[in-house]
Amino acid sequence: MGLESKALQKLGLIMLMVFSLSPPFIGVATASEPITPLEMAVFGKKFEQEPLLVRVQRLERALNQKAVPTSSLSYRISRLYAVQKQQAASASQAQAIQFYNKGVDAYEQKQYEQAVASYEKAIALNPDLIPAYNNLGSLLEQLGQYSNALQVYQKAILSDPKNPLLVRNLAIMYEKTGKIEKALDYYRHYIALEPSPDPNIARIVSEYDTARRKYQNLVDYAAVASEGSDGKTLIWPSAMMPIPVYVAIEADQGPFLKPVQEALAAWESATSGRIRFREVAQPELARIHIILQDGPLSHPYLEVGHASFAFDASTGKQDRNLHVNVTVNTGERDAPISLTDRLSQVRRLALHEIGHAIGIWGHSPDPADVMYAQPIAEKLSSRDVITIQRLYGIYSGDSAVTRARRRVLQSFDRPAFDRSRKP
């Protein structure tokens, strides 16, 4: 997504007179008509006392248009307006190129704010100047303004939806702002448009689509749910409901409490109330301790979240005083993405780690599921729901007995997730 070389970027300029774009004069022209906006643009008020026919003839000469004496003055003025408008558009394009070249010069001189302003003026003058979009988006990304860069490419794609470079850059910005599923859609579009696509992008998309095709008919992944705990299972008994949860946040992390609460509520709904949570204000009262911490929201090598629990060492069974610790990254403090994008990613990570905390200690093989090893999905899939229900014996597709048990569970009046943070 780098900037092109100056030699390739520079475009020739043809400077033309800029005329007014006021509406054309329409109607029956008489000698008493006041001076028109078109005349004002070309001559000012210099000839306003002359008869209208003389003024029209003068305009035709000024705009190099052959006079048509048999036509009405109204038609001749309208034709002159159309010519003037076309010339004004050409002049606007020439000005846009001039600002574009100023942006290139400013960038090479590391005057980045001036470069941004010049590219923005170029786009305002000519919304179809695609190189200006690409350079502006690339520069904003370089400056860490990911959300602004995303908006630039979104606007650019409207002017040239089949430009593979624009489509690829838009996909990259969707990925960098945490909109992974949207990014994959545009990566596919880029591959379809580009005869020789980036091999790394092609590989990632191919792996994702292959996994989706391979596991699309898989009802659940309960068989691998305990692979992360050496075959041991974690099932919270009904007697522990609602599970006390403590969310540890720093003073400036208040906004990230809401996506965690939404993730907890989503798993409550997925289990039809079999799993319930109650937020507490003291960590010593909690069975699930969620720590929000600074850290990357996506990284190929570093952890973005973690969940751990302990079994009784002597029996190998679930500890009666079971506690689960969960960490969820909220992004680096200087992360170049908007708070809105960070919140959606925190919610996705919280969904994944809380899934581990309530018993899914393995991973789904399908990237469409929240419990995929590198979470991509932003909401629970039907397979996520069926898996957790099967682990807790409430999946209605199992048997008449489990369906009856589920009806009994649903008959109880269970409060929604308590957000009061009271013990």
Side-chain angles (χ1 to χ4, degrees), residues 149-179:
L150 175 62
Q151 292 176 6
V152 167
Y153 290 124
Q154 287 172 329
K155 184 177 179 181
I157 210 75
L158 297 176
S159 295
D160 194 357
K162 294 186 178 181
N163 184 312
L165 180 60
L166 281 181
V167 174
R168 186 203 68 176
N169 289 350
L170 179 58
I172 290 173
M173 295 319 303
Y174 273 126
E175 181 180 0
K176 288 193 172 185
T177 54
K179 301 174 178 67

Side-chain angles (χ1 to χ4, degrees), residues 350-365:
L351 277 171
H352 183 91
E353 299 305 334
I354 292 169
H356 286 320
I358 60 176
I360 304 176
W361 286 93
H363 289 116
S364 166

Side-chain angles (χ1 to χ4, degrees), residues 190 196-204:
Y190 156 71
S196 302
D198 184 311
N200 290 325
I201 293 176
R203 176 182 55 79
I204 291 171

Side-chain angles (χ1 to χ4, degrees), residues 182-216:
K182 195 80 171 178
L184 285 164
D185 288 340
Y186 278 94
Y187 278 137
R188 291 190 194 92
H189 187 34
Y190 156 71
I191 292 170
L193 293 172
E194 175 58 58
S196 302
D198 184 311
N200 290 325
I201 293 176
R203 176 182 55 79
I204 291 171
V205 172
S206 176
E207 289 176 354
Y208 178 90
D209 290 343
T210 297
R212 288 265 44 231
R213 287 191 299 270
K214 183 176 181 180
Y215 298 107
Q216 62 182 341

Side-chain angles (χ1 to χ4, degrees), residues 225-234 309 311-312 316-317 359 361:
S226 61
E227 67 179 14
S229 59
D230 298 324
K232 302 180 179 69
T233 58
L234 166 62
F309 71 103
F311 284 98
D312 187 294
K317 297 182 179 180
W361 286 93

Side-chain angles (χ1 to χ4, degrees), residues 19 25 49 109 134 142 186 206 228 294 350 355 357 362 364 381 387 413:
F19 300 108
F25 177 87
Q49 300 303 320
Q109 296 167 14
N134 269 324
Q142 179 180 327
Y186 278 94
S206 176
D294 290 344
S364 166
S381 68
T387 297
D413 182 18

Side-chain angles (χ1 to χ4, degrees), residues 2 83 129 167 229 244 271 291 305 380 387 405 422:
V83 171
L129 191 58
V167 174
S229 59
T271 59
I291 302 172
L380 298 179
T387 297
R405 182 179 179 186
K422 295 178 181 178

Side-chain angles (χ1 to χ4, degrees), residues 58-74:
R58 192 182 300 280
L59 279 170
E60 287 173 335
R61 290 194 298 272
L63 297 176
N64 296 316
Q65 298 300 303
K66 185 177 179 180
V68 186
T70 58
S71 299
S72 68
L73 289 179
S74 177

